[in-house]
Amino acid sequence: MEHVPPPAEELARLDRELAELDARRAQLLTRRAWLLAALRPPAPTAAPGWNPSAWGAPAAGRPGAPAQPWGHVPPKQPSAPRSAQNVLLTLGGLLLTVAAIAFTLVSWGSMGIGGRSAVLAAVTVGALAAPVVLLRRGLTATAEALAALALVLTLLDAYAVHAVAAPDTDGLGFTAVAAAVLAALWTAYGLALGKLHLPLPAAVVLAQWPLLFGAWAAGAPALVVGWALLATAVLDGAIALWGKGTGARVTACLGGSVMAFSALMVGLTLSVTASGPLGALAPGVLLLTAAAAALAGAWRAPRGFARAGGAVAGLAVVAAVGGVPAAAVPEGWRVLAYLLVGLAPAAVVRARLPRNAAIGVLVASAAVVAGALVGALPGLAAVLLGPVTLLSDVWSGSPEGFRSAVGSTLPWSELAATPVVLALVAGLLGAAYRWWPSLARIAAPLIAREEPGSGTGPTGAPGTGTPEAGGAAAPGVSGAPWYAGGAPAARRRPSGAALRGAAGAGAAVLGWGALLLSGAVLDVPYAVAVAGETLLVAGLLALAVRGAGSGRDGSAAVPVTALVVALAAAVSTGLLSLASEGASYAVFGALTALFAGAAVRAGAGVPRAVFAVAATVGGTVLSGFAGRSLGLAPHEAAPLVLLVPALTVLFGARLRRNPVALPVELTGALGALVAVALAVPDAPFLALVLALCGVLAAGAAVRPERRPVAGYLAAALFVLATWVRLAASEVSFPEAYTLPVTVPALVVGFLRRRKDPEASSWTAYGPGLAATLLPSLAVAWTDPDWQRPLLLGVAALVITLLGARYRLQALLLLGGAVLALDGLHELAPYVVQVAGALPRWLPPALAGLLLLVVGATYEQRLRDARRLKDALGRMR
């Protein structure tokens, strides 16, 4: 019998089963929701509460949080974008501004004076008062928009007052007063409503005009206008340093930069155009005041602005002090006056200026020196490049003076001070190079000094940073300061050795330029100029050789610079000597000897190779001069030019693997190329020169290290010489051109096959055979005579038999193909004649019969083709 539980027990059991079903249903629904979410595109970021651990588990990091489905992302609350609000406010402000302008300009005349004033005053007061109420309610953006409207209304008020209340007053004067009043009004308004960003920058902009417009209205001279600009710039600087709000300080910085630059330009213009020293005093005072203001601002400004202020102060001092003596000397000597004053600010290394401001002053001094040196560039370029014009008229005769040889039209009298400027700067750089350690000790206070309030170390922390500050050096940073040539500090700076080398290199270049320009300014005789430039080259070469050997300063700047300048000076001197035959021989002979001696004295490396190459070039030029002196035509002088390449081949054989040998031989090869270019107009001489070049290349190929290149070059030159000679003799047979290539190529291939029997016949004999067979075959097809086809057929038959006998694939296939094509050419007329005599149905019938035979014996023909392929494949 089946047991029936009591009703109470059965009810409890049913309740438990229903609860389990509900739990299972909830679990299945959760899983269904997760699957639907997984099928949608993934969200960019997971929202808080995302829980991948299990279905319905609490979120990570939130104990006791309610269970959420796996992957649940709660919806975000919608928020109104601020961009739309800003657009609406901007459009509203613009519309109100347009309405106010239209009212003022268009509808103003339809109202009486009282109504006009009442309406405009009421609107302005309302626009000024509304931001106060809006800021209390937190509507900052709306308050900014109404403040902008109020600014426009105040400008319209000023216009209205001038148009109605004071129409007869001067426009510039009224504008100056109105700008001052509005600047004060908006300053007070901006300070009262500190949350608004527009009023204070607007006040700064308005403050730029009162003094300037007031000076213009009063008809003040340019100097007074400069003072007005400077006073405005000083006011802007004070606002930039101590003003309230970033917007106002940035605006003041920009306005001050513009006003200060304008004031400096006014003072500089007045100083430069002054009629005498007394006339330059007043602009000088203006410039000195500007310098003092710039230094005062640099004392408290950040690093970048402090350096800019120091640079401006330095330049203003140079313009102010240097303008007084410059007004008393001739125009050509004014640059020297400014240069002498520009060197004085270097004394700030011992002054009590902040480090960044002192660096700015030094930058100004360097800028003055650089500007003075730039003024020397036209004269130096004329001296260096002017002799290029002598190339068109070589050995035309010695000119009277240096300027005539240069051929420049520069006003040399106005460049009288240029050599002095170059010599002065060169002397200072040379002194710095000589006494660098002492100068480094003098500069130590400037380098070690930090900005006020920045701490004693570079990071601003007391007791840290450089050893000079009393702290320990950073790990891995040398305690030696950079100016003494030690290891770099935490912030990498140029080493002392590099700076010393740069000073020495600059002294060498500027000293050379000073001596060159001195000759042009003094217009020394031509012989003196040529001899002087040659001696300069000798001095530079001595400096290059000595510097490369000593290495005292630890830098290669001085010898490398001396080497480069010596090469440039040698080119200029050589061009200058082309005016006279004797000068050309003397100069190029001396240059060749100097560079050869420098190559002997210099150590191994790049300088020695450069010296040797320059000597080779000089010898090549001398050989060309010899041909011209002998009255030879250019093509007749070409063999003489090959003397130097021949000497370079012997020189290379003597030095063997010396690093200098290759550059010298390459330079000699360029000389040989020049000889070939000279011989191009005359074919027989060109063939001779090419053959001589081939002999030189063959001589170089004797050495194993040159053989891979020189050997092929010699062969190509010999072949080319043969072709040129045949063309000059009007030989038109192609075999005369191809056989000189084929025979050596076959000999080389035979020797290679003897050395390496496994070498392919295509590599050994293919190029040589193709060089003759293919051109001859092409000519034979158009040759009406029978001699060439017969000889070509016999040669092809012999080659084919040799290929079959010695199992050489290249000979068999090339010879067979040429033989077949040559035979086809000879039989073609008879085949055409026979084909014309046969019935028209016979050729198709023969072709069909051939196909039937081939089809019937296809398997056998296929096996024959495979055997033929294998036989050819076994050949070399």
Side-chain angles (χ1 to χ4, degrees):
M1 297 179 60
E2 184 179 354
H3 174 71
V4 179
E9 182 181 352
E10 184 176 2
L11 180 60
R13 183 182 300 175
L14 291 176
D15 289 339
R16 287 196 298 272
E17 292 179 357
L18 289 174
E20 291 176 359
L21 290 175
D22 290 340
R24 179 58 178 169
R25 185 174 185 275
Q27 186 178 9
L28 293 176
L29 289 175
T30 301
R31 180 62 176 172
R32 179 178 182 275
W34 181 86
L35 291 174
L36 291 175
L39 294 176
R40 299 191 187 100
T45 56
W50 183 80
N51 180 21
S53 59
W55 299 346
R62 296 171 55 195
Q68 297 290 345
W70 188 19
H72 175 71
V73 180
K76 295 182 180 180
Q77 296 296 329
S79 60
R82 296 188 61 85
S83 59
Q85 179 186 8
N86 293 335
V87 170
L88 294 176
L89 292 174
T90 303
L91 290 177
L94 287 176
L95 291 176
L96 289 175
T97 303
V98 171
I101 294 174
F103 170 77
T104 304
L105 299 178
V106 179
S107 300
W108 189 260
S110 61
M111 302 179 64
I113 185 63
R116 302 172 190 174
S117 303
V119 171
L120 195 56
V123 174
T124 303
V125 171
L128 290 173
V132 179
V133 180
L134 294 174
L135 287 176
R136 292 177 181 176
R137 297 188 178 184
L139 302 176
T140 307
T142 308
E144 290 282 359
L146 289 179
L149 175 63
L151 174 62
V152 176
L153 289 174
T154 54
L155 296 176
L156 294 176
D157 286 338
Y159 167 76
V161 170
H162 180 264
V164 176
D168 298 330
T169 58
D170 180 59
L172 287 175
F174 184 85
T175 303
V177 175
V181 173
L182 291 177
L185 171 64
W186 281 98
T187 300
Y189 190 75
L191 293 176
L193 302 179
K195 293 184 179 181
L196 293 179
H197 300 289
L198 179 64
L200 290 179
V204 173
V205 173
L206 291 169
Q208 307 301 309
W209 311 114
L211 293 178
L212 179 60
F213 286 164
W216 280 352
L223 184 62
V224 177
V225 174
W227 281 105
L229 292 170
L230 180 59
T232 306
V234 171
L235 176 62
D236 289 330
I239 296 173
L241 289 175
W242 298 292
K244 181 180 179 182
T246 305
R249 298 175 68 178
V250 171
T251 306
C253 184
L254 295 176
S257 301
V258 174
M259 292 296 174
F261 178 78
S262 303
L264 290 173
M265 289 297 101
V266 170
L268 180 62
T269 303
L270 294 176
S271 177
V272 171
T273 58
S275 58
L278 294 179
L281 288 177
V285 174
L286 173 62
L287 293 171
L288 287 177
T289 306
L295 280 181
W299 204 280
R300 293 180 174 272
R303 182 178 64 180
F305 289 98
R307 293 184 179 182
V312 170
L315 293 174
V317 169
V318 172
V321 180
V324 176
V329 298
E331 185 176 356
W333 291 89
R334 291 184 177 182
V335 63
L336 184 60
Y338 286 109
L339 177 62
L340 292 174
V341 178
L343 295 173
V348 300
V349 296
R350 306 296 295 179
R352 300 303 301 172
L353 289 178
R355 176 175 177 270
N356 288 317
I359 290 176
V361 175
L362 292 178
V363 169
S365 179
V368 172
V369 175
L373 296 179
V374 169
L377 290 180
L380 192 59
V383 172
L384 289 177
L385 303 179
V388 175
T389 57
L390 297 174
L391 289 173
S392 60
D393 195 9
V394 178
W395 296 355
S396 59
S398 300
E400 296 180 358
F402 194 11
R403 296 181 190 175
S404 300
V406 170
S408 175
T409 58
L410 288 176
W412 292 104
S413 59
E414 298 180 4
L415 298 176
T418 303
V420 181
V421 170
L422 294 178
L424 177 61
V425 180
L428 292 175
L429 291 177
Y433 177 77
R434 175 64 179 84
W435 293 288
W436 180 259
S438 301
L439 292 177
R441 286 191 295 270
I442 294 175
L446 173 64
I447 306 303
R449 193 182 309 141
E450 294 295 332
E451 295 299 325
S454 62
T456 57
T459 59
T464 62
T466 60
E468 291 85 343
V477 178
S478 171
W482 66 272
Y483 50 82
R491 178 178 297 168
R492 185 172 296 276
R493 298 184 178 96
S495 66
L499 291 176
R500 184 183 183 186
V509 174
L510 295 179
W512 167 67
L515 292 175
L516 279 183
L517 283 178
S518 298
V521 170
L522 298 176
D523 195 17
V524 298
Y526 173 74
V528 176
V530 172
E533 289 201 22
T534 306
L535 291 177
L536 284 178
V537 175
L540 290 169
L541 288 177
L543 180 60
V545 173
R546 181 184 177 187
S550 63
R552 272 186 318 179
D553 59 348
S555 171
V558 175
V560 170
T561 304
L563 173 58
V564 173
V565 176
L567 293 174
V571 173
S572 178
T573 307
L575 293 174
L576 186 64
S577 68
L578 295 179
S580 171
E581 181 177 2
S584 299
Y585 278 106
V587 168
F588 277 95
L591 292 177
T592 303
L594 288 173
F595 279 105
V600 174
R601 294 293 302 274
V606 175
R608 188 174 188 181
V610 173
F611 293 144
V613 167
T616 305
V617 172
T620 304
V621 175
L622 283 174
S623 63
F625 287 163
R628 183 180 179 88
S629 297
L630 294 174
L632 301 177
H635 64 274
E636 295 174 339
L640 287 177
V641 179
L642 292 178
L643 291 176
V644 174
L647 293 176
T648 60
V649 172
L650 297 176
F651 180 78
R654 177 69 177 83
L655 293 181
R656 289 291 178 179
R657 298 186 182 277
N658 193 299
V660 180
L662 181 59
V664 170
E665 289 182 83
L666 291 177
T667 307
L670 291 178
L673 189 61
V674 172
V676 171
L678 292 174
V680 166
D682 189 271
F685 266 96
L686 178 59
L688 174 62
V689 171
L690 289 174
L692 293 176
C693 292
V695 172
L696 296 179
V702 174
R703 298 157 53 194
E705 66 273 12
R706 301 286 186 262
R707 189 170 301 156
V709 176
Y712 289 108
L713 180 61
L717 288 172
F718 282 130
V719 170
L720 190 58
T722 305
W723 287 355
V724 171
R725 181 67 258 186
L726 290 172
S729 301
E730 299 182 355
V731 176
S732 59
F733 299 110
E735 291 79 10
Y737 295 89
T738 58
L739 285 177
V741 178
T742 296
V743 174
L746 292 178
V747 172
V748 173
F750 177 75
L751 295 177
R752 180 174 182 180
R753 286 276 300 171
R754 288 188 61 183
K755 185 178 180 180
D756 182 16
E758 297 299 323
S760 173
S761 61
W762 289 102
T763 303
Y765 304 118
L769 292 175
T772 294
L773 292 178
L774 298 182
S776 297
L777 179 64
V779 175
W781 270 77
T782 58
D783 192 352
D785 298 327
W786 57 272
Q787 291 89 351
R788 178 178 280 107
L790 177 60
L791 294 175
L792 179 61
V794 171
L797 178 61
V798 173
I799 292 172
T800 303
L801 295 176
L802 290 175
R805 171 65 181 81
Y806 294 103
R807 304 180 62 81
L808 298 176
Q809 189 181 103
L811 275 68
L812 180 62
L813 294 182
L814 277 175
V818 172
L819 180 60
L821 292 174
D822 186 65
L824 179 61
H825 171 265
E826 292 301 310
L827 294 177
Y830 304 102
V831 172
V832 171
Q833 184 178 0
V834 172
L838 293 176
R840 295 184 177 271
W841 55 267
L842 187 58
L846 293 176
L849 180 62
L850 178 62
L851 292 177
L852 288 175
V853 173
V854 173
T857 59
Y858 175 74
E859 294 296 335
Q860 182 63 32
R861 301 287 81 75
L862 185 59
R863 286 193 296 268
D864 294 341
R866 287 174 179 172
R867 283 196 297 269
L868 178 60
K869 177 184 176 182
D870 294 339
L872 290 175
R874 288 191 296 268
M875 293 183 179
R876 300 304 301 173

